[in-house]
Amino acid sequence: METETKPLFLREVMEQPRVLANTLAQYVGPGYRLKMGRPPLDEDGIRRISRVYLTACGTSYHAALTARYLLEELACVPAVVEQASECGLHQQLVGPSTLAVAVSQSGRSRETLNALEAARRKGAATLALVNDATSPLARAADGCLTTLAGRVLAHSSTKAFTTQSLVLALMAFRIARARGLMRDTYLEEIQALGRIGETVRGTLAKCRGQVEPLARLLNAHSHLFILAKGSLLPMVYEGALKLKEIARLHAEGYSAGEFGHGPLALAGPDTPVALMAFSDARYEAAAFKDLARSLRSRRVPLVLFAEDGPRKDVELLTMADCAVLLPPAPPRLRPLTAILPFQLLACALGQMKGLDVDRPGGLLNGSRVPDENGGHPDLPAGSPSGAARGALDS
Ligand code: M6R
């Protein structure tokens, strides 16, 4: 039971099992049929999508990145993700057969709204993924999907990220089905998503104690690189954002493969490197070990995030100065669980430094469009209305 004295940030982290289960229940019907709230396209329109363009800012941008892998892998549809503040280059690819998805917890980020409007002018079907179905972004889009993250009070996003990533995964499955690409294995994956609440609860419980020694190690340093591969990359970008914002640690998420092409020069005894070494592929596991050996030879403090269980890589573990072991999760759930230790770590390190984790102060004034209800536009907001709950069975 969370007490009132806990920071809002931590309370929202611990709410994730419940809000993820609620969000899932909104979209997955009996027999694992997928429902879409207010779809921007009919079945035929979904079939004819030639490209998905996703746009967002900050944490929501990292959630949008998780969708790219799924859309291309499951639904075989090319997907580009553009930071709304950089909206331009990829908009050249947007046209009438594009589905443009704008992701925003508040539904009020000015740049995300502008990017959605630009895509609409190019003839794209527009979809808002928001936590507030009454927000300007939801009203501006042809269709709307909502997360059921509940009221967001902490300034730094946690439950918004995981619920957005979950809905985007379901959207990818839904597009795959409309395009006749729904394989039997996908059904099993959707069933695995059905256990998201308990999986996330178990991961939070297992990681909570483990992040304390890691926070102590990082408290002695000013920089951190966090490396991953493939679909886990958005998690290290988001993990680095949380550490910057909440714990004022200069952290960078980076591709493990790219790290050896220059940035390795910065790693040394004063700059720890964390590896998110979840791997089923033998060549990847070998590459992680080579990298770990090279870092050890430079006396780089090495941190490991890995899965526990019989398949854990003992050789890699023995090279680490500090490790956080997560319970094993089905591959499709990993992106949703892999972010959790970073949220807990950011909170533990921020508190260790005596920071107010509920007031990180990293949001530029004026970044939100005004709130019609008179609230301050730059404060987090968003309580989902029931409007989008009347989901249409498809
Ligand atoms: O409400 P939005 O999702 O549009 O907000 C976008 C970003 O400002 C937001 O995700 C920000 O990066 C987070 N609060 C950081 O924790």
mmCIF file with all atom_site columns, all heavy atoms in Angstrom, residues 56-61 103-109 112 154-158 160 164 238 241-242 245 363 367-368, ligand 1:
data_model
loop_
_atom_site.group_PDB
_atom_site.id
_atom_site.type_symbol
_atom_site.label_atom_id
_atom_site.label_alt_id
_atom_site.label_comp_id
_atom_site.label_asym_id
_atom_site.label_entity_id
_atom_site.label_seq_id
_atom_site.pdbx_PDB_ins_code
_atom_site.Cartn_x
_atom_site.Cartn_y
_atom_site.Cartn_z
_atom_site.occupancy
_atom_site.B_iso_or_equiv
_atom_site.pdbx_formal_charge
_atom_site.auth_seq_id
_atom_site.auth_comp_id
_atom_site.auth_asym_id
_atom_site.auth_atom_id
_atom_site.pdbx_PDB_model_num
ATOM   1   N N   . ALA A 1 56  ? 5.712  13.133 -31.925 1.00 0.00 ? 56  ALA A N   1
ATOM   2   C CA  . ALA A 1 56  ? 5.492  13.373 -30.490 1.00 0.00 ? 56  ALA A CA  1
ATOM   3   C C   . ALA A 1 56  ? 6.694  14.121 -29.930 1.00 0.00 ? 56  ALA A C   1
ATOM   4   O O   . ALA A 1 56  ? 7.688  14.336 -30.638 1.00 0.00 ? 56  ALA A O   1
ATOM   5   C CB  . ALA A 1 56  ? 5.335  12.040 -29.756 1.00 0.00 ? 56  ALA A CB  1
ATOM   6   N N   . CYS A 1 57  ? 6.613  14.476 -28.672 1.00 0.00 ? 57  CYS A N   1
ATOM   7   C CA  . CYS A 1 57  ? 7.733  15.130 -27.972 1.00 0.00 ? 57  CYS A CA  1
ATOM   8   C C   . CYS A 1 57  ? 8.120  14.312 -26.738 1.00 0.00 ? 57  CYS A C   1
ATOM   9   O O   . CYS A 1 57  ? 7.274  13.650 -26.129 1.00 0.00 ? 57  CYS A O   1
ATOM   10  C CB  . CYS A 1 57  ? 7.310  16.504 -27.434 1.00 0.00 ? 57  CYS A CB  1
ATOM   11  S SG  . CYS A 1 57  ? 6.863  17.684 -28.680 1.00 0.00 ? 57  CYS A SG  1
ATOM   12  N N   . GLY A 1 58  ? 9.370  14.428 -26.340 1.00 0.00 ? 58  GLY A N   1
ATOM   13  C CA  . GLY A 1 58  ? 9.848  13.901 -25.058 1.00 0.00 ? 58  GLY A CA  1
ATOM   14  C C   . GLY A 1 58  ? 9.551  12.425 -24.865 1.00 0.00 ? 58  GLY A C   1
ATOM   15  O O   . GLY A 1 58  ? 9.810  11.584 -25.737 1.00 0.00 ? 58  GLY A O   1
ATOM   16  N N   . THR A 1 59  ? 8.987  12.114 -23.711 1.00 0.00 ? 59  THR A N   1
ATOM   17  C CA  . THR A 1 59  ? 8.682  10.723 -23.380 1.00 0.00 ? 59  THR A CA  1
ATOM   18  C C   . THR A 1 59  ? 7.719  10.111 -24.402 1.00 0.00 ? 59  THR A C   1
ATOM   19  O O   . THR A 1 59  ? 7.862  8.951  -24.787 1.00 0.00 ? 59  THR A O   1
ATOM   20  C CB  . THR A 1 59  ? 8.073  10.671 -21.962 1.00 0.00 ? 59  THR A CB  1
ATOM   21  O OG1 . THR A 1 59  ? 9.097  11.054 -21.038 1.00 0.00 ? 59  THR A OG1 1
ATOM   22  C CG2 . THR A 1 59  ? 7.564  9.315  -21.613 1.00 0.00 ? 59  THR A CG2 1
ATOM   23  N N   . SER A 1 60  ? 6.762  10.899 -24.857 1.00 0.00 ? 60  SER A N   1
ATOM   24  C CA  . SER A 1 60  ? 5.795  10.370 -25.834 1.00 0.00 ? 60  SER A CA  1
ATOM   25  C C   . SER A 1 60  ? 6.502  10.016 -27.148 1.00 0.00 ? 60  SER A C   1
ATOM   26  O O   . SER A 1 60  ? 6.106  9.076  -27.844 1.00 0.00 ? 60  SER A O   1
ATOM   27  C CB  . SER A 1 60  ? 4.682  11.393 -26.095 1.00 0.00 ? 60  SER A CB  1
ATOM   28  O OG  . SER A 1 60  ? 3.971  11.635 -24.900 1.00 0.00 ? 60  SER A OG  1
ATOM   29  N N   . TYR A 1 61  ? 7.547  10.763 -27.478 1.00 0.00 ? 61  TYR A N   1
ATOM   30  C CA  . TYR A 1 61  ? 8.347  10.437 -28.676 1.00 0.00 ? 61  TYR A CA  1
ATOM   31  C C   . TYR A 1 61  ? 9.006  9.069  -28.484 1.00 0.00 ? 61  TYR A C   1
ATOM   32  O O   . TYR A 1 61  ? 9.048  8.253  -29.411 1.00 0.00 ? 61  TYR A O   1
ATOM   33  C CB  . TYR A 1 61  ? 9.390  11.538 -28.901 1.00 0.00 ? 61  TYR A CB  1
ATOM   34  C CG  . TYR A 1 61  ? 10.455 11.190 -29.905 1.00 0.00 ? 61  TYR A CG  1
ATOM   35  C CD1 . TYR A 1 61  ? 10.169 11.127 -31.267 1.00 0.00 ? 61  TYR A CD1 1
ATOM   36  C CD2 . TYR A 1 61  ? 11.764 10.905 -29.492 1.00 0.00 ? 61  TYR A CD2 1
ATOM   37  C CE1 . TYR A 1 61  ? 11.153 10.793 -32.195 1.00 0.00 ? 61  TYR A CE1 1
ATOM   38  C CE2 . TYR A 1 61  ? 12.748 10.577 -30.409 1.00 0.00 ? 61  TYR A CE2 1
ATOM   39  C CZ  . TYR A 1 61  ? 12.433 10.519 -31.763 1.00 0.00 ? 61  TYR A CZ  1
ATOM   40  O OH  . TYR A 1 61  ? 13.402 10.184 -32.668 1.00 0.00 ? 61  TYR A OH  1
ATOM   41  N N   . VAL A 1 103 ? 1.240  11.380 -30.716 1.00 0.00 ? 103 VAL A N   1
ATOM   42  C CA  . VAL A 1 103 ? 1.186  10.779 -29.374 1.00 0.00 ? 103 VAL A CA  1
ATOM   43  C C   . VAL A 1 103 ? 1.466  11.865 -28.337 1.00 0.00 ? 103 VAL A C   1
ATOM   44  O O   . VAL A 1 103 ? 2.483  12.562 -28.419 1.00 0.00 ? 103 VAL A O   1
ATOM   45  C CB  . VAL A 1 103 ? 2.245  9.646  -29.247 1.00 0.00 ? 103 VAL A CB  1
ATOM   46  C CG1 . VAL A 1 103 ? 2.109  8.936  -27.902 1.00 0.00 ? 103 VAL A CG1 1
ATOM   47  C CG2 . VAL A 1 103 ? 2.126  8.649  -30.396 1.00 0.00 ? 103 VAL A CG2 1
ATOM   48  N N   . SER A 1 104 ? 0.570  12.004 -27.387 1.00 0.00 ? 104 SER A N   1
ATOM   49  C CA  . SER A 1 104 ? 0.762  13.032 -26.354 1.00 0.00 ? 104 SER A CA  1
ATOM   50  C C   . SER A 1 104 ? -0.054 12.676 -25.121 1.00 0.00 ? 104 SER A C   1
ATOM   51  O O   . SER A 1 104 ? -1.266 12.469 -25.220 1.00 0.00 ? 104 SER A O   1
ATOM   52  C CB  . SER A 1 104 ? 0.305  14.392 -26.905 1.00 0.00 ? 104 SER A CB  1
ATOM   53  O OG  . SER A 1 104 ? 0.269  15.354 -25.890 1.00 0.00 ? 104 SER A OG  1
ATOM   54  N N   . GLN A 1 105 ? 0.584  12.633 -23.981 1.00 0.00 ? 105 GLN A N   1
ATOM   55  C CA  . GLN A 1 105 ? -0.160 12.359 -22.752 1.00 0.00 ? 105 GLN A CA  1
ATOM   56  C C   . GLN A 1 105 ? -1.214 13.435 -22.532 1.00 0.00 ? 105 GLN A C   1
ATOM   57  O O   . GLN A 1 105 ? -2.384 13.140 -22.367 1.00 0.00 ? 105 GLN A O   1
ATOM   58  C CB  . GLN A 1 105 ? 0.831  12.299 -21.565 1.00 0.00 ? 105 GLN A CB  1
ATOM   59  C CG  . GLN A 1 105 ? 0.220  11.956 -20.218 1.00 0.00 ? 105 GLN A CG  1
ATOM   60  C CD  . GLN A 1 105 ? -0.434 13.117 -19.530 1.00 0.00 ? 105 GLN A CD  1
ATOM   61  O OE1 . GLN A 1 105 ? -1.592 13.009 -19.130 1.00 0.00 ? 105 GLN A OE1 1
ATOM   62  N NE2 . GLN A 1 105 ? 0.222  14.243 -19.402 1.00 0.00 ? 105 GLN A NE2 1
ATOM   63  N N   . SER A 1 106 ? -0.768 14.687 -22.537 1.00 0.00 ? 106 SER A N   1
ATOM   64  C CA  . SER A 1 106 ? -1.688 15.788 -22.214 1.00 0.00 ? 106 SER A CA  1
ATOM   65  C C   . SER A 1 106 ? -2.627 16.097 -23.368 1.00 0.00 ? 106 SER A C   1
ATOM   66  O O   . SER A 1 106 ? -3.728 16.623 -23.147 1.00 0.00 ? 106 SER A O   1
ATOM   67  C CB  . SER A 1 106 ? -0.885 17.050 -21.894 1.00 0.00 ? 106 SER A CB  1
ATOM   68  O OG  . SER A 1 106 ? -0.103 17.414 -23.029 1.00 0.00 ? 106 SER A OG  1
ATOM   69  N N   . GLY A 1 107 ? -2.182 15.812 -24.589 1.00 0.00 ? 107 GLY A N   1
ATOM   70  C CA  . GLY A 1 107 ? -2.958 16.228 -25.766 1.00 0.00 ? 107 GLY A CA  1
ATOM   71  C C   . GLY A 1 107 ? -2.859 17.727 -25.985 1.00 0.00 ? 107 GLY A C   1
ATOM   72  O O   . GLY A 1 107 ? -3.650 18.315 -26.721 1.00 0.00 ? 107 GLY A O   1
ATOM   73  N N   . ARG A 1 108 ? -1.878 18.363 -25.332 1.00 0.00 ? 108 ARG A N   1
ATOM   74  C CA  . ARG A 1 108 ? -1.786 19.828 -25.416 1.00 0.00 ? 108 ARG A CA  1
ATOM   75  C C   . ARG A 1 108 ? -0.382 20.313 -25.769 1.00 0.00 ? 108 ARG A C   1
ATOM   76  O O   . ARG A 1 108 ? -0.104 21.499 -25.637 1.00 0.00 ? 108 ARG A O   1
ATOM   77  C CB  . ARG A 1 108 ? -2.248 20.449 -24.088 1.00 0.00 ? 108 ARG A CB  1
ATOM   78  C CG  . ARG A 1 108 ? -3.732 20.295 -23.875 1.00 0.00 ? 108 ARG A CG  1
ATOM   79  C CD  . ARG A 1 108 ? -4.245 21.138 -22.733 1.00 0.00 ? 108 ARG A CD  1
ATOM   80  N NE  . ARG A 1 108 ? -3.961 20.512 -21.461 1.00 0.00 ? 108 ARG A NE  1
ATOM   81  C CZ  . ARG A 1 108 ? -3.248 21.085 -20.501 1.00 0.00 ? 108 ARG A CZ  1
ATOM   82  N NH1 . ARG A 1 108 ? -2.730 22.279 -20.672 1.00 0.00 ? 108 ARG A NH1 1
ATOM   83  N NH2 . ARG A 1 108 ? -3.051 20.462 -19.369 1.00 0.00 ? 108 ARG A NH2 1
ATOM   84  N N   . SER A 1 109 ? 0.510  19.413 -26.171 1.00 0.00 ? 109 SER A N   1
ATOM   85  C CA  . SER A 1 109 ? 1.850  19.868 -26.557 1.00 0.00 ? 109 SER A CA  1
ATOM   86  C C   . SER A 1 109 ? 1.750  20.594 -27.890 1.00 0.00 ? 109 SER A C   1
ATOM   87  O O   . SER A 1 109 ? 1.274  20.042 -28.892 1.00 0.00 ? 109 SER A O   1
ATOM   88  C CB  . SER A 1 109 ? 2.816  18.684 -26.663 1.00 0.00 ? 109 SER A CB  1
ATOM   89  O OG  . SER A 1 109 ? 3.201  18.284 -25.379 1.00 0.00 ? 109 SER A OG  1
ATOM   90  N N   . THR A 1 112 ? 3.379  19.067 -31.078 1.00 0.00 ? 112 THR A N   1
ATOM   91  C CA  . THR A 1 112 ? 2.714  17.835 -31.540 1.00 0.00 ? 112 THR A CA  1
ATOM   92  C C   . THR A 1 112 ? 1.429  18.195 -32.280 1.00 0.00 ? 112 THR A C   1
ATOM   93  O O   . THR A 1 112 ? 1.105  17.615 -33.326 1.00 0.00 ? 112 THR A O   1
ATOM   94  C CB  . THR A 1 112 ? 2.438  16.905 -30.337 1.00 0.00 ? 112 THR A CB  1
ATOM   95  O OG1 . THR A 1 112 ? 3.648  16.750 -29.602 1.00 0.00 ? 112 THR A OG1 1
ATOM   96  C CG2 . THR A 1 112 ? 1.935  15.556 -30.782 1.00 0.00 ? 112 THR A CG2 1
ATOM   97  N N   . ALA A 1 154 ? 2.377  13.895 -11.469 1.00 0.00 ? 154 ALA A N   1
ATOM   98  C CA  . ALA A 1 154 ? 3.830  14.103 -11.447 1.00 0.00 ? 154 ALA A CA  1
ATOM   99  C C   . ALA A 1 154 ? 4.250  14.783 -12.745 1.00 0.00 ? 154 ALA A C   1
ATOM   100 O O   . ALA A 1 154 ? 3.651  14.556 -13.793 1.00 0.00 ? 154 ALA A O   1
ATOM   101 C CB  . ALA A 1 154 ? 4.547  12.775 -11.292 1.00 0.00 ? 154 ALA A CB  1
ATOM   102 N N   . HIS A 1 155 ? 5.265  15.636 -12.690 1.00 0.00 ? 155 HIS A N   1
ATOM   103 C CA  . HIS A 1 155 ? 5.710  16.331 -13.899 1.00 0.00 ? 155 HIS A CA  1
ATOM   104 C C   . HIS A 1 155 ? 6.383  15.386 -14.874 1.00 0.00 ? 155 HIS A C   1
ATOM   105 O O   . HIS A 1 155 ? 6.387  15.627 -16.070 1.00 0.00 ? 155 HIS A O   1
ATOM   106 C CB  . HIS A 1 155 ? 6.677  17.453 -13.523 1.00 0.00 ? 155 HIS A CB  1
ATOM   107 C CG  . HIS A 1 155 ? 5.987  18.643 -12.955 1.00 0.00 ? 155 HIS A CG  1
ATOM   108 N ND1 . HIS A 1 155 ? 6.330  19.935 -13.276 1.00 0.00 ? 155 HIS A ND1 1
ATOM   109 C CD2 . HIS A 1 155 ? 4.952  18.747 -12.093 1.00 0.00 ? 155 HIS A CD2 1
ATOM   110 C CE1 . HIS A 1 155 ? 5.543  20.773 -12.626 1.00 0.00 ? 155 HIS A CE1 1
ATOM   111 N NE2 . HIS A 1 155 ? 4.709  20.073 -11.907 1.00 0.00 ? 155 HIS A NE2 1
ATOM   112 N N   . SER A 1 156 ? 7.010  14.341 -14.361 1.00 0.00 ? 156 SER A N   1
ATOM   113 C CA  . SER A 1 156 ? 7.765  13.446 -15.229 1.00 0.00 ? 156 SER A CA  1
ATOM   114 C C   . SER A 1 156 ? 6.923  12.221 -15.583 1.00 0.00 ? 156 SER A C   1
ATOM   115 O O   . SER A 1 156 ? 6.344  11.589 -14.711 1.00 0.00 ? 156 SER A O   1
ATOM   116 C CB  . SER A 1 156 ? 9.045  13.030 -14.503 1.00 0.00 ? 156 SER A CB  1
ATOM   117 O OG  . SER A 1 156 ? 9.838  12.293 -15.372 1.00 0.00 ? 156 SER A OG  1
ATOM   118 N N   . SER A 1 157 ? 6.886  11.900 -16.860 1.00 0.00 ? 157 SER A N   1
ATOM   119 C CA  . SER A 1 157 ? 6.002  10.822 -17.334 1.00 0.00 ? 157 SER A CA  1
ATOM   120 C C   . SER A 1 157 ? 6.544  9.445  -17.004 1.00 0.00 ? 157 SER A C   1
ATOM   121 O O   . SER A 1 157 ? 7.717  9.166  -17.247 1.00 0.00 ? 157 SER A O   1
ATOM   122 C CB  . SER A 1 157 ? 5.874  10.888 -18.853 1.00 0.00 ? 157 SER A CB  1
ATOM   123 O OG  . SER A 1 157 ? 5.253  12.045 -19.247 1.00 0.00 ? 157 SER A OG  1
ATOM   124 N N   . THR A 1 158 ? 5.696  8.594  -16.502 1.00 0.00 ? 158 THR A N   1
ATOM   125 C CA  . THR A 1 158 ? 6.057  7.191  -16.285 1.00 0.00 ? 158 THR A CA  1
ATOM   126 C C   . THR A 1 158 ? 4.931  6.302  -16.816 1.00 0.00 ? 158 THR A C   1
ATOM   127 O O   . THR A 1 158 ? 5.081  5.645  -17.831 1.00 0.00 ? 158 THR A O   1
ATOM   128 C CB  . THR A 1 158 ? 6.282  6.902  -14.782 1.00 0.00 ? 158 THR A CB  1
ATOM   129 O OG1 . THR A 1 158 ? 5.135  7.349  -14.039 1.00 0.00 ? 158 THR A OG1 1
ATOM   130 C CG2 . THR A 1 158 ? 7.540  7.590  -14.280 1.00 0.00 ? 158 THR A CG2 1
ATOM   131 N N   . ALA A 1 160 ? 2.337  7.185  -18.321 1.00 0.00 ? 160 ALA A N   1
ATOM   132 C CA  . ALA A 1 160 ? 1.909  7.585  -19.669 1.00 0.00 ? 160 ALA A CA  1
ATOM   133 C C   . ALA A 1 160 ? 2.719  6.809  -20.705 1.00 0.00 ? 160 ALA A C   1
ATOM   134 O O   . ALA A 1 160 ? 2.179  6.316  -21.700 1.00 0.00 ? 160 ALA A O   1
ATOM   135 C CB  . ALA A 1 160 ? 2.102  9.087  -19.866 1.00 0.00 ? 160 ALA A CB  1
ATOM   136 N N   . GLN A 1 164 ? 1.040  4.248  -23.291 1.00 0.00 ? 164 GLN A N   1
ATOM   137 C CA  . GLN A 1 164 ? 1.128  4.611  -24.722 1.00 0.00 ? 164 GLN A CA  1
ATOM   138 C C   . GLN A 1 164 ? 1.774  3.469  -25.515 1.00 0.00 ? 164 GLN A C   1
ATOM   139 O O   . GLN A 1 164 ? 1.293  3.096  -26.594 1.00 0.00 ? 164 GLN A O   1
ATOM   140 C CB  . GLN A 1 164 ? 1.996  5.872  -24.894 1.00 0.00 ? 164 GLN A CB  1
ATOM   141 C CG  . GLN A 1 164 ? 1.335  7.153  -24.461 1.00 0.00 ? 164 GLN A CG  1
ATOM   142 C CD  . GLN A 1 164 ? 2.332  8.312  -24.333 1.00 0.00 ? 164 GLN A CD  1
ATOM   143 O OE1 . GLN A 1 164 ? 3.547  8.102  -24.258 1.00 0.00 ? 164 GLN A OE1 1
ATOM   144 N NE2 . GLN A 1 164 ? 1.828  9.526  -24.294 1.00 0.00 ? 164 GLN A NE2 1
ATOM   145 N N   . GLU A 1 238 ? 14.618 6.634  -23.138 1.00 0.00 ? 238 GLU A N   1
ATOM   146 C CA  . GLU A 1 238 ? 13.682 7.096  -22.113 1.00 0.00 ? 238 GLU A CA  1
ATOM   147 C C   . GLU A 1 238 ? 14.315 6.997  -20.717 1.00 0.00 ? 238 GLU A C   1
ATOM   148 O O   . GLU A 1 238 ? 14.135 7.886  -19.882 1.00 0.00 ? 238 GLU A O   1
ATOM   149 C CB  . GLU A 1 238 ? 12.375 6.278  -22.198 1.00 0.00 ? 238 GLU A CB  1
ATOM   150 C CG  . GLU A 1 238 ? 11.356 6.524  -21.103 1.00 0.00 ? 238 GLU A CG  1
ATOM   151 C CD  . GLU A 1 238 ? 10.874 7.971  -20.973 1.00 0.00 ? 238 GLU A CD  1
ATOM   152 O OE1 . GLU A 1 238 ? 11.128 8.800  -21.857 1.00 0.00 ? 238 GLU A OE1 1
ATOM   153 O OE2 . GLU A 1 238 ? 10.251 8.265  -19.934 1.00 0.00 ? 238 GLU A OE2 1
ATOM   154 N N   . LEU A 1 241 ? 16.473 9.922  -20.284 1.00 0.00 ? 241 LEU A N   1
ATOM   155 C CA  . LEU A 1 241 ? 15.686 11.147 -20.038 1.00 0.00 ? 241 LEU A CA  1
ATOM   156 C C   . LEU A 1 241 ? 15.253 11.214 -18.571 1.00 0.00 ? 241 LEU A C   1
ATOM   157 O O   . LEU A 1 241 ? 15.341 12.259 -17.924 1.00 0.00 ? 241 LEU A O   1
ATOM   158 C CB  . LEU A 1 241 ? 14.468 11.184 -20.979 1.00 0.00 ? 241 LEU A CB  1
ATOM   159 C CG  . LEU A 1 241 ? 13.442 12.305 -20.755 1.00 0.00 ? 241 LEU A CG  1
ATOM   160 C CD1 . LEU A 1 241 ? 14.092 13.682 -20.842 1.00 0.00 ? 241 LEU A CD1 1
ATOM   161 C CD2 . LEU A 1 241 ? 12.301 12.224 -21.762 1.00 0.00 ? 241 LEU A CD2 1
ATOM   162 N N   . LYS A 1 242 ? 14.796 10.074 -18.030 1.00 0.00 ? 242 LYS A N   1
ATOM   163 C CA  . LYS A 1 242 ? 14.368 10.066 -16.607 1.00 0.00 ? 242 LYS A CA  1
ATOM   164 C C   . LYS A 1 242 ? 15.533 10.419 -15.693 1.00 0.00 ? 242 LYS A C   1
ATOM   165 O O   . LYS A 1 242 ? 15.378 11.170 -14.737 1.00 0.00 ? 242 LYS A O   1
ATOM   166 C CB  . LYS A 1 242 ? 13.823 8.695  -16.181 1.00 0.00 ? 242 LYS A CB  1
ATOM   167 C CG  . LYS A 1 242 ? 12.486 8.259  -16.751 1.00 0.00 ? 242 LYS A CG  1
ATOM   168 C CD  . LYS A 1 242 ? 11.306 9.089  -16.348 1.00 0.00 ? 242 LYS A CD  1
ATOM   169 C CE  . LYS A 1 242 ? 11.073 10.234 -17.288 1.00 0.00 ? 242 LYS A CE  1
ATOM   170 N NZ  . LYS A 1 242 ? 9.918  10.300 -18.067 1.00 0.00 ? 242 LYS A NZ  1
ATOM   171 N N   . GLU A 1 245 ? 16.260 14.150 -15.978 1.00 0.00 ? 245 GLU A N   1
ATOM   172 C CA  . GLU A 1 245 ? 15.191 15.007 -15.477 1.00 0.00 ? 245 GLU A CA  1
ATOM   173 C C   . GLU A 1 245 ? 15.024 14.880 -13.961 1.00 0.00 ? 245 GLU A C   1
ATOM   174 O O   . GLU A 1 245 ? 14.908 15.893 -13.268 1.00 0.00 ? 245 GLU A O   1
ATOM   175 C CB  . GLU A 1 245 ? 13.894 14.578 -16.203 1.00 0.00 ? 245 GLU A CB  1
ATOM   176 C CG  . GLU A 1 245 ? 12.701 15.458 -15.967 1.00 0.00 ? 245 GLU A CG  1
ATOM   177 C CD  . GLU A 1 245 ? 11.459 14.921 -16.673 1.00 0.00 ? 245 GLU A CD  1
ATOM   178 O OE1 . GLU A 1 245 ? 11.328 13.699 -16.873 1.00 0.00 ? 245 GLU A OE1 1
ATOM   179 O OE2 . GLU A 1 245 ? 10.598 15.748 -17.019 1.00 0.00 ? 245 GLU A OE2 1
ATOM   180 N N   . LEU A 1 363 ? 10.343 21.504 -18.040 1.00 0.00 ? 363 LEU A N   1
ATOM   181 C CA  . LEU A 1 363 ? 9.387  21.788 -19.121 1.00 0.00 ? 363 LEU A CA  1
ATOM   182 C C   . LEU A 1 363 ? 9.376  23.287 -19.419 1.00 0.00 ? 363 LEU A C   1
ATOM   183 O O   . LEU A 1 363 ? 9.148  24.108 -18.524 1.00 0.00 ? 363 LEU A O   1
ATOM   184 C CB  . LEU A 1 363 ? 7.981  21.319 -18.698 1.00 0.00 ? 363 LEU A CB  1
ATOM   185 C CG  . LEU A 1 363 ? 6.919  21.272 -19.771 1.00 0.00 ? 363 LEU A CG  1
ATOM   186 C CD1 . LEU A 1 363 ? 7.272  20.250 -20.848 1.00 0.00 ? 363 LEU A CD1 1
ATOM   187 C CD2 . LEU A 1 363 ? 5.572  20.930 -19.153 1.00 0.00 ? 363 LEU A CD2 1
ATOM   188 N N   . SER A 1 367 ? 5.127  25.524 -23.727 1.00 0.00 ? 367 SER A N   1
ATOM   189 C CA  . SER A 1 367 ? 5.164  24.340 -24.589 1.00 0.00 ? 367 SER A CA  1
ATOM   190 C C   . SER A 1 367 ? 3.786  23.683 -24.730 1.00 0.00 ? 367 SER A C   1
ATOM   191 O O   . SER A 1 367 ? 3.594  22.832 -25.574 1.00 0.00 ? 367 SER A O   1
ATOM   192 C CB  . SER A 1 367 ? 6.183  23.327 -24.065 1.00 0.00 ? 367 SER A CB  1
ATOM   193 O OG  . SER A 1 367 ? 5.768  22.851 -22.814 1.00 0.00 ? 367 SER A OG  1
ATOM   194 N N   . ARG A 1 368 ? 2.839  24.091 -23.886 1.00 0.00 ? 368 ARG A N   1
ATOM   195 C CA  . ARG A 1 368 ? 1.484  23.526 -23.958 1.00 0.00 ? 368 ARG A CA  1
ATOM   196 C C   . ARG A 1 368 ? 0.494  24.581 -24.463 1.00 0.00 ? 368 ARG A C   1
ATOM   197 O O   . ARG A 1 368 ? 0.613  25.757 -24.098 1.00 0.00 ? 368 ARG A O   1
ATOM   198 C CB  . ARG A 1 368 ? 1.004  23.089 -22.560 1.00 0.00 ? 368 ARG A CB  1
ATOM   199 C CG  . ARG A 1 368 ? 1.898  22.082 -21.875 1.00 0.00 ? 368 ARG A CG  1
ATOM   200 C CD  . ARG A 1 368 ? 1.558  20.684 -22.349 1.00 0.00 ? 368 ARG A CD  1
ATOM   201 N NE  . ARG A 1 368 ? 2.098  19.685 -21.455 1.00 0.00 ? 368 ARG A NE  1
ATOM   202 C CZ  . ARG A 1 368 ? 3.209  18.992 -21.681 1.00 0.00 ? 368 ARG A CZ  1
ATOM   203 N NH1 . ARG A 1 368 ? 3.914  19.201 -22.771 1.00 0.00 ? 368 ARG A NH1 1
ATOM   204 N NH2 . ARG A 1 368 ? 3.611  18.084 -20.830 1.00 0.00 ? 368 ARG A NH2 1
HETATM 205 O O1  . M6R B 2 .   ? 1.908  15.702 -22.870 1.00 0.00 ? 1   M6R B O1  1
HETATM 206 P P1  . M6R B 2 .   ? 2.936  15.221 -23.856 1.00 0.00 ? 1   M6R B P1  1
HETATM 207 O O2  . M6R B 2 .   ? 3.077  13.744 -23.879 1.00 0.00 ? 1   M6R B O2  1
HETATM 208 O O3  . M6R B 2 .   ? 2.727  15.783 -25.227 1.00 0.00 ? 1   M6R B O3  1
HETATM 209 O O4  . M6R B 2 .   ? 4.306  15.817 -23.324 1.00 0.00 ? 1   M6R B O4  1
HETATM 210 C C1  . M6R B 2 .   ? 5.475  15.681 -24.086 1.00 0.00 ? 1   M6R B C1  1
HETATM 211 C C2  . M6R B 2 .   ? 6.697  15.927 -23.233 1.00 0.00 ? 1   M6R B C2  1
HETATM 212 O O5  . M6R B 2 .   ? 6.729  17.258 -22.789 1.00 0.00 ? 1   M6R B O5  1
HETATM 213 C C3  . M6R B 2 .   ? 6.734  15.009 -22.020 1.00 0.00 ? 1   M6R B C3  1
HETATM 214 O O6  . M6R B 2 .   ? 6.642  13.677 -22.451 1.00 0.00 ? 1   M6R B O6  1
HETATM 215 C C4  . M6R B 2 .   ? 8.016  15.180 -21.209 1.00 0.00 ? 1   M6R B C4  1
HETATM 216 O O7  . M6R B 2 .   ? 9.127  14.803 -21.982 1.00 0.00 ? 1   M6R B O7  1
HETATM 217 C C5  . M6R B 2 .   ? 7.929  14.307 -19.976 1.00 0.00 ? 1   M6R B C5  1
HETATM 218 N N1  . M6R B 2 .   ? 7.101  14.943 -18.982 1.00 0.00 ? 1   M6R B N1  1
HETATM 219 C C6  . M6R B 2 .   ? 9.256  13.958 -19.429 1.00 0.00 ? 1   M6R B C6  1
HETATM 220 O O8  . M6R B 2 .   ? 9.118  13.127 -18.317 1.00 0.00 ? 1   M6R B O8  1
#
